[in-house]
Amino acid sequence: MNTKVENQSGTSVLDYGKYALAVLIAAAGVAVFYMMPQWSGVIRGLLVAVGFGLALVVYGLTAKGREAREFFSDSLFELRKVVWPTREESYRITGMVLVVVLLISLILSGFDFVISWLIKLLLGS
């Protein structure tokens, strides 16, 4: 467990400017895609991807961006602690799930058959 003390960093006016710049960059990438139909679709798609990439870089320079990077770093750190099942355990668990799903579906279809038979009996059909 990570026991770091949370640092409450506020959002500054400069961060709001960076947010606006990131949105403008992403919007410019999308605008180029639609405003330049004579260009190749691959080039226009790459320009959209570059626009969103640059927007992410600008967003990463804000306080929230730093918090997001720290969150993903901590997530990767915790992910390294996970004990993953072996291939045989995965096959065994998958087989058990399939058997349980099959049994429950058979039980539910049996209930459906009995209920529909009772309704037909009551309605005299």
Side-chain angles (χ1 to χ4, degrees):
M1 179 177 217
N2 199 349
T3 59
K4 284 196 272 183
V5 176
E6 293 294 324
N7 183 9
Q8 298 295 330
S9 59
T11 304
S12 68
V13 175
L14 186 59
D15 282 345
Y16 287 120
K18 290 176 186 176
Y19 295 147
L21 180 62
V23 169
L24 287 174
I25 291 172
V30 173
V32 166
F33 182 83
Y34 287 109
M35 295 179 74
M36 299 298 179
Q38 68 271 18
W39 291 0
S40 167
V42 174
I43 293 173
R44 293 186 308 158
L46 285 174
L47 286 174
V48 171
V50 167
F52 277 95
L54 287 175
L56 281 174
V57 168
V58 171
Y59 176 77
L61 298 174
T62 64
K64 290 290 183 189
R66 284 186 290 278
E67 289 176 14
R69 281 196 314 270
E70 185 175 334
F71 172 76
F72 286 119
S73 173
D74 290 344
S75 297
L76 289 175
F77 177 74
E78 293 295 328
L79 196 58
R80 282 185 243 131
K81 295 180 183 179
V82 174
V83 178
W84 298 101
T86 63
R87 183 178 294 265
E88 292 79 23
E89 290 172 333
S90 299
Y91 285 144
R92 192 175 331 125
I93 291 170
T94 303
M96 288 301 295
V97 167
L98 291 174
V99 167
V100 168
V101 166
L102 181 66
L103 286 175
I104 290 176
S105 65
L106 289 174
I107 290 169
L108 290 175
S109 66
F111 284 153
D112 183 46
F113 177 76
V114 169
I115 291 170
S116 65
W117 178 76
L118 287 173
I119 289 175
K120 286 180 184 176
L121 186 66
L122 286 173
L123 294 177
S125 301

